[in-house]
Amino acid sequence: MELYDKCKKFTEAKKVKAMGLYPYFRVISSEQNTEVIVNSKKTLMLGSNSYLGLTNHPKVKEASIAAIKKYGTGCAGSRFLNGTLDIHIKLEEILADWVGKESALTYSTGFQANLGVLSTIVGRGEYLITDKYDHASIIDGSRLSLGKLLRYKHNNMDNLERILQKIKDKAKLIVVDGIFSMEGDIAKLPEIIKLAKKYNSRVMVDDAHSIGVLGKNGSGTSDHFGLTDEVDIIMGTFSKSLASIGGFIAGDEIMIHYLEHFSRPYIFSASLPPASAASVIAAIDIMKSEPDRIDRLWQNTNKMQKGFKEMGYDIGVSETPIIPLHVGDMMTAFKMWKILADDGIFINPVIPPAVPPNDCLIRTSFMATHTDQQLNTALEKFEKVGKKLKII
Ligand code: PMP
């Protein structure tokens, strides 16, 4: 046995590439908007998580450039030592106030935020309870934690209660995605909070996909349900609606203070670049001052949900701008990707192990800045390909 044997054995991706059906790592050579350039071709972007279309907003760009001019391009150190700038503190105050918590802490990615909070807050002899469809960063965070991981069936409250009953006297944290990243459904937060109260559990919500989409001024799932005080930990990312990169954890001051001193991905990794901090501050400002962007996002979402359903597509449990089409096996998903790519549409196929073998998805996601005309064109093309591949 040799270390690289597994690499040599992994040939599936190369085979799919040779067939011209490999849909990953596509190269974009333009600004990121509702239209992008892929292989020198104008392509309608239906696969971005920039739900409010802020990545090229002039104010966000200008804030980012001004921060580079003032602070430079990077911090060359962690927050703990030389990497704390006044703009980090300002951003954390804005975030805490926006999501309705005492304090907030920024990490360099959302992935690190989940690793950082879960590995630190859930210790030996304690329990982490996750939804089976929670994001990979939550799974990996729970692997790093010394606590024990228990998983319940997706959005299944009976299953969650059975698990909670078994560990009712233990210290525990329930962790859910606010909006599930592939299915596009919303966590049943009111029921989760009820169970958490009954069985004395803390609750954390990952708002990666809910920021900019749910709640007042896009402040997330907890606000959407009026449950901000009941949710203990709110996690968010800057890499989607907030048009940059980075992540944050918000909650009680004592919990944040503990993270500051024990969270290894926070202490041993360089801090958020100033340009990112500045662009997030600008993006939050725009969300507060232009609430019609969120209204427009929901108009587009409702139009596409209705359009896909009327054509006969199975969109599963989606109720947000993330609209997956259940298309069947992997080859059907790849063929659909190829036909749509040739026809100037960018979508993301989701295949095993992310989904069961015969339930592959074509994940579409919509933005506030898509025009009616763009969406109508997309619907026409989806109808054509759906009929051709006998999906609808
Ligand atoms: N949580 C969820 C639910 C996500 O979808 C993602 C990103 N795909 C993350 C966390 C990680 O966020 P980031 O991109 O900031 O690392």
Side-chain angles (χ1 to χ4, degrees):
M1 286 297 278
E2 202 276 319
L3 198 66
Y4 284 5
D5 282 350
K6 55 185 163 297
C7 313
K8 288 178 198 151
K9 268 193 218 145
F10 173 63
T11 53
E12 286 86 347
K14 289 202 167 142
K15 279 184 203 149
V16 177
K17 246 183 206 175
M19 292 160 75
L21 293 175
Y22 184 74
Y24 303 113
F25 302 104
R26 283 154 289 171
V27 178
I28 296 170
S29 54
S30 61
E31 64 173 9
Q32 295 161 76
N33 214 327
T34 52
E35 273 180 357
V36 293
I37 304 293
V38 180
N39 287 336
S40 314
K41 190 168 144 184
K42 226 198 246 181
T43 300
L44 179 60
M45 174 50 83
L46 302 184
S48 169
N49 301 308
S50 174
Y51 300 111
L52 297 178
L54 294 179
T55 48
N56 338 297
H57 195 293
K59 284 189 188 156
V60 177
K61 285 183 175 176
E62 278 157 23
S64 195
I65 292 163
I68 289 180
K69 286 191 175 149
K70 177 167 179 186
Y71 299 99
T73 51
C75 291
S78 94
R79 289 291 301 279
F80 198 58
L81 299 173
N82 57 304
T84 294
L85 301 173
D86 52 5
I87 197 169
H88 291 127
I89 309 296
K90 183 177 169 193
L91 171 59
E92 287 168 350
E93 285 170 2
I94 290 171
L95 286 165
D97 177 63
W98 184 48
V99 302
K101 289 290 166 197
E102 277 176 14
S103 289
L105 199 64
T106 53
Y107 286 76
S108 303
T109 68
F111 205 104
Q112 281 197 24
N114 275 337
L115 298 186
V117 68
L118 297 177
S119 61
T120 310
I121 285 298
V122 185
R124 202 181 296 282
E126 298 173 340
Y127 286 81
L128 233 157
I129 305 151
T130 62
D131 184 296
K132 277 205 170 145
Y133 286 6
D134 276 353
H135 188 257
S137 52
I138 295 176
I139 298 170
D140 289 6
S142 67
R143 285 180 180 149
L144 281 179
S145 153
L146 296 178
K148 191 163 168 16
L149 171 67
L150 299 172
R151 298 166 82 201
Y152 64 93
K153 286 185 202 142
H154 178 50
N155 255 339
N156 184 322
M157 296 298 109
D158 292 338
N159 195 198
L160 172 59
E161 180 153 22
R162 274 199 297 280
I163 288 173
L164 288 168
Q165 269 164 353
K166 286 187 197 149
I167 51 166
K168 54 176 183 284
D169 301 324
K170 307 283 186 189
K172 52 196 167 295
L173 175 69
I174 301 169
V175 190
V176 284
D177 285 14
I179 292 178
F180 289 89
S181 55
M182 294 297 147
E183 296 70 24
D185 53 342
I186 303 174
K188 293 184 177 166
L189 202 53
E191 286 100 318
I192 292 170
I193 295 290
K194 240 186 237 160
L195 290 174
K197 280 192 176 151
K198 187 169 168 191
Y199 294 100
N200 196 22
S201 177
R202 299 260 179 197
V203 174
M204 168 172 153
V205 178
D206 174 333
D207 266 343
H209 294 273
S210 325
I211 295 252
V213 177
L214 297 179
K216 182 161 179 278
N217 298 326
S219 61
T221 316
S222 308
D223 183 79
H224 169 74
F225 286 112
L227 289 169
T228 301
D229 291 344
E230 282 77 5
V231 170
D232 299 281
I233 303 175
I234 295 177
M235 174 273 173
T237 173
F238 306 149
S239 67
K240 304 185 197 302
S241 289
L242 290 171
S244 185
I245 187 160
F248 73 92
I249 298 294
D252 292 351
E253 189 277 330
I254 48 158
M255 184 270 296
I256 295 293
H257 180 70
Y258 188 78
L259 291 183
E260 278 179 322
H261 294 89
F262 294 98
S263 178
R264 294 166 68 86
Y266 178 78
I267 296 169
F268 296 104
S269 188
S271 58
L272 192 69
S276 297
S279 54
V280 174
I281 292 172
I284 293 175
D285 213 37
I286 294 166
M287 282 193 206
K288 289 178 183 167
S289 60
E290 296 178 20
D292 48 313
R293 269 183 188 264
I294 301 176
D295 296 343
R296 178 76 198 150
L297 172 68
W298 279 98
Q299 279 163 24
N300 286 349
T301 299
N302 295 335
K303 177 185 172 82
M304 295 310 286
Q305 294 240 352
K306 185 164 173 273
F308 283 135
K309 277 192 212 158
E310 278 174 4
M311 268 177 217
Y313 274 110
D314 174 6
I315 66 164
V317 287
S318 168
E319 48 188 329
T320 66
I322 300 171
I323 311 182
L325 309 178
H326 292 254
V327 298
D329 62 17
M330 191 163 78
M331 267 306 146
T332 308
F334 284 163
K335 278 185 201 157
M336 184 156 173
W337 163 77
K338 172 80 173 131
I339 294 169
L340 287 169
D342 289 347
D343 213 5
I345 304 271
F346 192 114
I347 48 84
N348 292 306
V350 185
I351 59 164
V355 287
N358 283 316
D359 192 18
C360 292
L361 306 177
I362 293 294
R363 181 188 186 275
T364 65
S365 47
F366 296 91
M367 296 157 71
T369 41
H370 279 124
T371 63
D372 257 350
Q373 198 191 347
Q374 287 174 328
L375 297 180
N376 290 337
T377 306
L379 285 171
E380 272 167 36
K381 293 185 176 185
F382 274 100
E383 182 156 37
K384 216 166 74 188
V385 65
K387 284 186 174 151
K388 184 167 180 178
L389 296 176
K390 299 193 171 31
I391 299 166
I392 54 171

